[in-house]
Amino acid sequence: MKKVLITGGAGFIGSNLALKLIAKGYEITVLDNLSKQIHGDEPEISSPLYLSIKDKVNFIHGTVESKEDLKQAIAGQDIIVHYAAETGTGQSMYQIEQYTNVNIGGTAAMLDILANAEHNVKKIIIASSRSIYGEGKYLSENLGYVYPSHRSDEIMKTGDFEVKYPNSTGTLTLVATDEESKIHPSSVYGITKQNQEQMIMTVCPTIGIAPVAFRYQNVYGPGQSLSNPYTGILSIFSTLIRNNKEINVFEDGKETRDFVYIDDVVEATILGIEKDEANGQVFNVGTGVATTVLTVVEELLKNYNKQVPVKISGNYRLGDIRHNFADLKKISALLGFKPSVTFQEGIKNFADWVNTQEIKGDKYDQSIQEMKQKGLFK
Ligand SMILES: NC(=O)c1ccc[n+]([C@@H]2O[C@H](COP(=O)([O-])OP(=O)(O)OC[C@H]3O[C@@H](n4cnc5c(N)ncnc54)[C@H](O)[C@@H]3O)[C@@H](O)[C@H]2O)c1
């Protein structure tokens, strides 16, 4: 039996991974601070994610910012899956110190312990993110492959949202982002994920630990937080639809994301835990399919069998990317991973689950107000 510590293991991906690993015979410890933004004010009542694992794992209520909590959690573990993080991209642009303290500081504290004290850890999985790439990869007719930087306020203000590249002529074609693509995050969250990944990939080999980084695309599925207004349009739109409120689609609705179903993410991560071929590698995890925001809205309305007004508002958030979808050649070749759930299947499962949940008031307006005040929402 192998012992695995999952930091942030009460969260969406961590709790699903924990349950799957337990079913496979692993012994799981979770270190999680039960952040109110994710788990509500009273996790014992308000967090189905926490409740799903609480009696099945060795649960430590603590923070990755505390070396004492980390030491207690790391003792006796064979493998660490490091998920604990602040996870809101927009929010990271005005809670900069908090995001760097938890995400970068927490990873640094963990590595300090592993580099300087006795332990049994042989492998670390770090949750990196597609956000480290920033905008996607494009093929320019005259320049070859290019990596456009984030779009400017001046151009988006005119309602022109498609990506441009200086001196590129003819069409600029979106292509899949592979692991060798330029890393240029457009948010503080992305910067912290890049930093976490680089620290783990750089330090671990020098201290005899095999590192594996997974750059997850947009993960979704039953159990994801419906109350956190800072992440995930599937949750935000679902809550609006169920509350019969208008959906404000930003830009022109043609922006795309690669939505990957939770079971596929868990599957990929377990391959990384179990296969030596993963050691020392970074992998994209996604579906390889770019889905527009308007398709998301249509699929949700269809699955809830409801109609609410949909306003394609031309609003935009500074720092948002236009497109990015994963190239899966590497993870397919080295780990044999192939996503098995289509967006249409996954969103049906998600909507069926949402329908079993209590309808809550949404805090979305408040999050938009916050971004407006900071000049990040236009
Ligand atoms: N969900 C996605 O689409 C996605 C995409 C790319 C990367 N990731 C990364 O995967 C990991 C897991 O994401 P998730 O969707 O499960 O997020 P989540 O927000 O559901 O879970 C994060 C967990 O970390 C805990 N946490 C927060 N701060 C902590 C601290 N200081 N100490 C201990 N625990 C703390 C929270 O309470 C929560 O349970 C994160 O590192 C995230 O950045 C997620």
Side-chain angles (χ1 to χ4, degrees), residues 76-339:
Q77 305 297 335
D78 301 308
I79 295 168
I80 299 176
V81 179
H82 187 32
Y83 280 167
E86 294 285 0
T87 55
T89 308
Q91 192 180 38
S92 76
M93 300 296 278
Y94 55 94
Q95 291 194 7
I96 296 147
E97 195 174 3
Q98 173 68 7
Y99 273 70
T100 52
N101 283 350
V102 173
N103 298 5
I104 299 178
T107 306
M110 175 186 289
L111 286 171
D112 256 350
I113 293 167
L114 294 170
N116 296 298
E118 299 242 321
H119 62 81
N120 299 332
V121 177
K122 288 159 210 78
K123 190 180 258 203
I124 296 190
I125 309 282
I126 176 72
S128 184
S129 164
R130 66 107 183 124
S131 65
I132 73 172
Y133 295 121
E135 187 55 59
K137 178 175 177 177
Y138 293 77
L139 183 58
S140 154
E141 272 184 23
N142 60 325
L143 301 174
Y145 290 113
V146 294
Y147 300 96
S149 55
H150 59 265
R151 297 165 294 162
S152 74
D153 195 7
E154 284 67 38
I155 294 183
M156 288 209 280
K157 215 184 264 173
T158 67
D160 183 1
F161 299 114
E162 272 311 340
V163 164
K164 313 276 181 296
Y165 194 82
N167 304 322
S168 174
T169 54
T171 48
L172 197 56
T173 310
L174 175 72
V175 297
T177 302
D178 57 83
E179 288 85 350
E180 299 306 313
S181 299
K182 182 175 169 181
I183 290 174
H184 60 146
S186 61
S187 67
V188 171
Y189 170 71
I191 291 169
T192 65
K193 286 279 132 188
Q194 173 185 3
N195 200 297
Q196 285 188 308
E197 178 188 309
Q198 289 177 332
M199 275 199 287
I200 296 276
M201 300 310 289
T202 306
V203 175
C204 287
T206 72
I207 54 174
I209 297 175
V212 183
F214 285 113
R215 296 174 181 167
Y216 299 138
Q217 289 275 342
N218 294 58
V219 187
Y220 75 100
Q224 74 180 67
S225 173
L226 295 175
S227 57
N228 181 357
Y230 301 99
T231 55
I233 59 168
L234 263 64
S235 290
I236 293 167
F237 289 172
S238 294
T239 306
L240 291 170
I241 294 170
R242 295 180 85 213
N243 286 331
N244 294 310
K245 285 196 174 170
E246 177 183 86
I247 296 179
N248 177 351
V249 174
F250 295 168
E251 304 187 13
D252 55 4
K254 293 180 187 151
E255 58 275 25
T256 62
R257 297 292 183 269
D258 181 340
F259 293 97
V260 57
Y261 193 67
I262 181 68
D263 292 2
D264 283 328
V265 169
V266 167
E267 179 64 32
T269 308
I270 292 177
L271 289 171
I273 289 173
E274 295 187 339
K275 290 202 164 195
D276 288 344
E277 291 87 337
N279 298 356
Q281 303 290 339
V282 297
F283 297 102
N284 286 334
V285 181
T287 60
V289 177
T291 302
T292 68
V293 170
L294 273 178
T295 305
V296 171
V297 174
E298 280 161 19
E299 287 292 326
L300 284 173
L301 288 170
K302 190 169 85 193
N303 278 287
Y304 293 122
N305 198 16
K306 280 187 87 164
Q307 282 305 324
V308 298
V310 177
K311 180 174 160 197
I312 300 170
S313 66
N315 288 139
Y316 56 92
R317 295 186 305 186
L318 291 176
D320 270 359
I321 58 154
R322 179 73 174 170
H323 305 291
N324 192 316
F325 72 103
D327 183 311
L328 300 177
K329 282 191 215 68
K330 183 173 176 185
I331 192 165
S332 161
L334 260 67
L335 304 185
F337 170 75
K338 277 202 177 55

